[in-house]
């Protein structure tokens, strides 16, 4: 029986020593009785360690999240993450679709740029050919060609052109 430490009665010095000795004896008896179980508690058996690590219940997550838990993958075992796994997979699926569409769009933009460059070159070439044709078809150049050509039966007209009128019936 332990004496109540909260009781503040006045004791004589002999009673005080007796109670101290009784307390010491009780504490040593308790220490010897509980010494063996403490050793067992400090060193759990192999089956206890395996059952603790292999259990399916999760340990309560601490309030602060550490980098070690994130990098170690412990965060993936929480019940909240397991409940939201389909949402996470849906977001990952949409991210893959987004990246694929962006790649396809960039591919189309590169093709459009190449076609615009080809169109620009073709326009420049057409403009150059058109200006050459206009230069060749000028009246002065045609007349010079006719003068310099010996086999041409065409002559430069001396009379101005006139309009032929056809009466209506």
């Amino acid at each position: 029986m332990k004496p109540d430490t909260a009781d503040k009665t006045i004791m004589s010095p002999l009673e005080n020593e007796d109670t101290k000795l009784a307390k010491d004896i009780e504490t040593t008896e308790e220490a010897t009785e509980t010494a063996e179980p403490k050793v067992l508690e400090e060193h759990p058996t192999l089956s206890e360690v395996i059952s603790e690590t292999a259990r399916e219940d999760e340990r309560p997550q601490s309030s602060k999240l550490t980098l070690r838990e994130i990098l170690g993958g412990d965060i993936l075992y929480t019940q909240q993450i397991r409940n939201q796994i389909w949402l996470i997979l849906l977001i990952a699926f949409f991210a893959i679709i987004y990246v694929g569409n962006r790649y396809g769009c960039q591919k189309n933009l590169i093709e459009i740029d190449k076609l615009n460059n080809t169109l620009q070159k073709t326009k420049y070439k057409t403009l150059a050919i058109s200006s050459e044709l206009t230069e060749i078809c000028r009246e002065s150049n045609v007349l010079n060609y006719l003068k310099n050509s010996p086999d041409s039966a065409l002559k430069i007209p001396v009379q101005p052109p006139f309009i032929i009128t056809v009466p209506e019936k």
Side-chain angles (χ1 to χ4, degrees):
M1 214 170 150
K2 293 184 181 179
D4 191 12
T5 56
D7 187 24
K8 295 185 178 180
T9 59
I10 301 174
M11 297 184 202
S12 67
L14 288 177
E15 290 176 3
N16 197 9
E17 286 182 25
D18 289 339
T19 55
K20 284 183 183 177
L21 287 174
K23 283 182 187 177
D24 289 340
I25 292 171
E26 286 178 7
T27 54
T28 55
E29 287 175 358
E30 288 175 5
T32 55
E33 290 174 1
T34 59
E36 292 176 14
K38 283 185 181 178
V39 171
L40 292 177
E41 289 177 10
E42 289 177 9
H43 302 288
T45 63
L46 182 60
S47 62
E48 289 174 349
V49 171
I50 291 173
S51 66
E52 180 66 27
T53 57
R55 70 179 184 157
E56 293 187 15
D57 297 343
E58 66 180 40
R59 295 181 191 107
Q61 187 171 355
S62 62
S63 62
K64 64 178 185 174
L65 195 61
T66 63
L67 182 64
R68 184 176 186 190
E69 289 175 353
I70 294 171
L71 294 178
D74 293 340
I75 193 171
L76 297 176
Y77 289 114
T78 63
Q79 186 64 34
Q80 185 177 7
I81 298 295
R82 280 190 256 158
N83 289 341
Q84 302 297 330
I85 191 70
W86 292 112
L87 177 66
I88 293 169
L89 290 176
L90 183 67
I91 290 171
F93 175 72
F94 282 143
I96 291 170
I97 296 294
Y98 177 76
V99 169
N101 283 342
R102 183 177 173 112
Y103 174 75
C105 183
Q106 284 178 342
K107 190 176 177 182
N108 288 341
L109 286 174
I110 290 170
E111 185 178 349
I112 287 170
D113 190 40
K114 285 180 183 178
L115 291 174
N116 280 337
N117 288 340
T118 306
L119 179 65
Q120 191 75 19
K121 287 177 185 177
T122 306
K123 282 183 180 180
Y124 289 149
K125 190 183 259 186
T126 304
L127 183 64
I129 292 172
S130 175
S131 69
E132 287 177 12
L133 182 61
T134 304
E135 182 68 29
I136 291 172
C137 291
R138 282 195 185 145
E139 186 179 349
S140 60
N141 285 340
V142 171
L143 291 177
N144 284 338
Y145 180 73
L146 289 176
K147 279 184 190 177
N148 295 333
S149 176
D151 61 337
S152 175
L154 295 175
K155 302 287 179 190
I156 300 174
V158 241
Q159 295 178 354
F162 58 93
I163 300 175
I164 302 173
T165 58
V166 178
E168 292 183 28
K169 290 187 181 182

